[in-house]
Each structure stands twice: as structure tokens, then as C-alpha cells.
Amino acid sequence: MRLTVEHQTIYTYGRPARYAIQALRLTPPDLAAQRVISWRIEVEPTAHLVPLTDGFGNRVHQLTLDRDHDRLAVTVRGIVETTDTAGVVGSDLPDTLSPEVFLRETPLTTADDALKAIADEVRPVLEAEGAVAAMHAVLRLTAGRVAYVKGATDARTTAAEALAHGRGVCQDHAHVFITLVRELGIPARYVSGYLSPNDDDHAENPGSEASHAWAEAWLDGLGWVGFDPSNGISPTGSYIRLAHGLDYLDAAPVRGIRIAGDEEHLAVRVHVTEQAQQ
């Protein structure tokens, strides 16, 4: 499958900001499941972009804008050829970290009593049927306990809060899944990326927004395997992977700070389409 992506993030301010620095995790890696055909990042007004690799192996561009501005627009355009690997990433990424690093909890993925109780429901499946069956059990339980409701949460919502509210979006589903899997003693991590909403399998699913998030678990014999609780499946050729980390904060496509600038308004537009192949 060949997917085209256009992703625009625009900040506007009531009064100009003096300085901005952003980490852009907006460049997909080349993997068995995806090959980048073309990709570019455009910034307006012109800013300083420095490419680097973060501690998780993600490709990052550090954006620095050191002058007054009342608008900052970051636009990504690209084409990626994807292959359905049934969610199996293996050890294909340039990530030298031990999988055990991803057993570590974070403020967004700390298990409370309610999450621990759900993990205890899955533990017999893990012991009797193995890790793959347990991951699918967690997949079903996550979607069953947290309904997909747009706008119900924000970037600061924890897995425990999303479960308590019983609603959330793909970010919350990923955090709940990760928290439960780590509670079972299996490494898990957060993944950001894109999903083509034109795929017939996802056309009616509320979790099929173009900008998307899911999770990966480390399974012996398979390596990293993706699971998308919002859609109840493992990633297919309709998915493009951008970055991964312990939680959303490590893998957010755009994250940074500014000096001055009030009345901030953020607008994000993401468009992913399938391109006809020759």
C-alpha cells in the first residue's frame, strides 16, 4: 500500500512570541513494514532545524525560532509504502535499549487498584495460553472499559483517569493497554503515527483518525508487536509509524516551549490517503 500524508500544525498568538523551541518527531523510519518514498518538513516563518536521534532511536528535528512571531506553522508532506506484517516489528528499529526499559511506569501509566484488578483478570490467560493470547485479552478489555469519545480527555489524562471516566481517545487506549501489559511483567511502549481512514476495515470505526496512537509489547520469539485497542487489531498496511517511547510525552509528534506569546491557538490538520500504485 502506498500512503500520502499531509500533516499541518499551526500555532497563532494574540501577542507575538519571542522564542520557540520544538522537538518534531515527524519523520517515519524505514522498516520491514514501511519504506519512505519521499518526506519533507516545511516551517513558516523560516526556522533553524537540526536533525538528531533521541534516546529511543526516534528521528527528531529540533526546531528553533529566535525572533518575534505571531504564527508558527509546521507542515509535513510525504509518501510511504507499507506492508502488512500483522503488527510484528521485531527488532528492526535502530533502538539499542533493552526491552526491560519499557517495564518502567511513568506518571501517565501508573497502575492504580482498578488497573491492577484488570491485569489480574488477564493473568490466568497469560499462564494458561501464553503472551499472545493475553495481549489480545488486554486489547479487548481496554476497548471494553474505555469507550472511544472524542474530546473526552486531554494530553495530561492518565491511564487511571481514563479508566475511571470510562471514555477517552486512542492516546488513552494506548496508555491503558501499556499499563496493563507492564503490570503483567511484559515490556510495552507507546507508538505515534498515522492511520489511513480510507481502509474499508476502519471506515466505520471511531478510532480511525488519520493522526493515531497505539502500543507495542515485547513478546519472546517475536520481538515488538503492535496492538491498537481503538480498532481492536494489530497494525496493518494502513498504518505509518513515527515514533515510540514510554508514553505520549516521549513520542508526541510536536512538543516544545515558547517565551512570551499569549492567547495561543492550536490548529492541527492531518490528511492520509491511499495512492494508486502502478
Side-chain angles (χ1 to χ4, degrees):
M1 186 177 290
R2 185 167 287 196
L3 302 176
T4 63
V5 177
E6 183 169 335
H7 178 183
Q8 189 169 58
T9 304
I10 301 176
Y11 296 91
T12 54
Y13 310 107
R15 285 190 297 179
R18 295 198 304 270
Y19 177 87
I21 183 168
Q22 301 275 3
L24 309 180
R25 290 176 175 83
L26 287 168
T27 304
D30 284 307
L31 306 167
Q34 63 186 42
R35 182 171 64 94
V36 179
I37 305 300
S38 65
W39 201 266
R40 69 181 186 274
I41 299 174
E42 301 169 354
V43 180
E44 183 187 351
T46 302
H48 190 49
L49 284 181
V50 177
L52 52 88
T53 302
D54 70 13
F56 296 105
N58 298 314
R59 298 175 67 182
V60 185
H61 286 81
Q62 181 176 290
L63 179 157
T64 306
L65 183 55
D66 192 11
R67 63 180 184 277
D68 286 357
H69 59 283
D70 56 14
R71 180 180 184 273
L72 174 60
V74 178
T75 304
V76 171
R77 293 185 178 90
I79 301 172
V80 179
E81 194 169 84
T82 63
T83 301
D84 189 348
T85 61
V88 177
V89 179
S91 55
D92 203 17
L93 285 162
D95 181 357
T96 58
L97 294 175
S98 166
E100 292 184 355
V101 168
F102 296 95
L103 286 168
R104 177 185 154 199
E105 68 178 25
T106 69
L108 291 174
T109 59
T110 297
D112 63 359
D113 289 342
L115 284 160
K116 290 177 181 179
I118 296 175
D120 287 340
E121 292 180 39
V122 180
R123 213 174 300 278
V125 178
L126 177 63
E127 294 168 355
E129 302 178 44
V132 173
M135 295 306 97
H136 285 283
V138 174
L139 198 69
R140 293 189 296 272
L141 283 166
T142 299
R145 304 293 175 91
V146 181
Y148 189 97
V149 179
K150 240 176 154 179
T153 56
D154 59 36
R156 296 165 295 182
T157 302
T158 68
E161 289 169 341
L163 179 65
H165 296 155
R167 57 190 185 274
V169 292
C170 57
Q171 172 185 304
D172 305 296
H173 284 157
H175 283 154
V176 170
F177 182 95
I178 289 165
T179 304
L180 294 173
V181 171
R182 288 177 184 162
E183 192 65 20
L184 293 169
I186 295 173
R189 63 191 187 184
Y190 185 100
V191 182
S192 62
Y194 303 110
L195 170 60
S196 170
N198 300 319
D199 189 329
D200 290 340
D201 291 340
H202 308 106
E204 302 302 323
N205 196 306
S208 59
E209 295 178 274
S211 183
H212 201 46
W214 58 97
E216 289 174 352
W218 179 269
L219 305 181
D220 289 342
L222 292 172
W224 290 108
V225 180
F227 296 92
D228 178 6
S230 296
N231 289 296
I233 61 171
S234 287
T236 66
S238 298
Y239 291 66
I240 297 174
R241 185 187 212 290
L242 281 177
H244 67 269
L246 290 165
D247 59 24
Y248 162 79
L249 296 177
D250 292 329
V254 179
R255 185 184 176 204
I257 59 173
R258 72 176 193 275
I259 297 175
D262 62 1
E263 299 175 22
E264 178 184 279
H265 178 72
L266 172 63
V268 179
R269 183 177 64 86
V270 184
H271 192 50
V272 181
T273 55
E274 183 178 354
Q275 186 182 78
Q277 290 182 280
Q278 296 281 328

